Amino acid sequence: MAGAAKSDLWVRIGSAIILFAIAGTALWFGGIAFGLLLLVGGALLLVEWFQLVRAMGLGSGGKAAFSALGLLLVIGTIGGLWYIRQNLGMTAALWVFGMVWATDIGAYFAGRAFGGARLAPTISPSKTWSGLVGGMIAALIASATIGDRGQIIGVPLWIGLCMGLLAQLGDLGESWMKRRAGVKDSGKLIPGHGGIFDRVDGLLPVALILGALAVAGQIAVRAAG
């Protein structure tokens, strides 16, 4: 059992390295490369979302509502990330990704190190309040260390705390969908990790909100000018 667990860990690490390499390369080049990454990732994400919705046992109205929600979330996320990368630059886009990645890492290690009371035992039994706090602090640190000290799109440094919370709410939302659908992962595309949705659940609300803030900020700047 220990050997199998170790083998699975190396599979997860290998998949993560490949994912980071692909995302990092597309983020660096921007333009068509980043656009293709967003479109392909968004299409695969929608496939997994619709599969979950079909398995959740909802009525026709519920299926329609959740399908529409997924479509809006994916379009908003793609649009937000594209706008930030194209108009605010690579560092701004890396800031968004960095806060989400930091949240995942901080929540994982804080939860394992401190344990404690469960955050939402009926939805995701492994998540703890200590993990929630650890994820938010990690997002704050990422916000403070990437780019212009968290002031890239005209928002205060503490936005990292808010985005750390928002990312974990996105994670819980996907966990609820999977529990309702009776599945462990959203898909099997990424060895050791599951599906695309499993990897970007926290990014969806963060990119959507920050993309909207970026657009609003640019509009305000142009109006003031």
Side-chain angles (χ1 to χ4, degrees), residues 102-103 105-108 110-111 114 129-140 168:
T103 298
I105 295 170
Y108 175 78
F114 301 107
W129 284 99
S130 62
L132 175 70
V133 174
M136 292 174 66
I137 293 174
L140 174 61
Q168 293 182 80

Side-chain angles (χ1 to χ4, degrees), residues 148-166:
D148 188 19
R149 298 190 62 79
Q151 297 286 342
I152 294 175
I153 58 175
V155 291
L157 183 62
W158 51 261
I159 196 68
L161 287 174
C162 297
M163 294 303 105
L165 174 61
L166 194 60

Side-chain angles (χ1 to χ4, degrees), residues 16-74:
I17 291 173
I18 294 173
L19 289 174
F20 278 126
I22 294 173
T25 300
L27 191 60
W28 174 270
F29 285 103
I32 295 176
F34 191 58
L36 284 175
L37 175 69
L38 293 178
L39 290 176
V40 172
L44 293 172
L45 174 57
L46 278 177
V47 170
E48 293 179 0
W49 182 286
F50 293 149
Q51 288 176 341
L52 283 178
V53 170
R54 286 196 296 270
M56 285 170 63
L58 302 170
S60 57
K63 288 181 180 179
F66 269 91
S67 296
L69 174 62
L71 190 60
L72 290 174
L73 277 174
V74 172

Side-chain angles (χ1 to χ4, degrees), residues 52 55-56 123 127 171-187 193-195 197-198 201:
L52 283 178
M56 285 170 63
I123 298 176
K127 290 180 175 58
D171 190 340
L172 282 174
E174 192 217 1
S175 294
W176 178 83
M177 290 180 68
K178 291 190 295 185
R179 181 166 288 272
R180 179 71 185 256
V183 297
K184 180 178 181 294
D185 299 313
S186 64
H193 290 267
F197 193 14
D198 293 314
D201 49 12

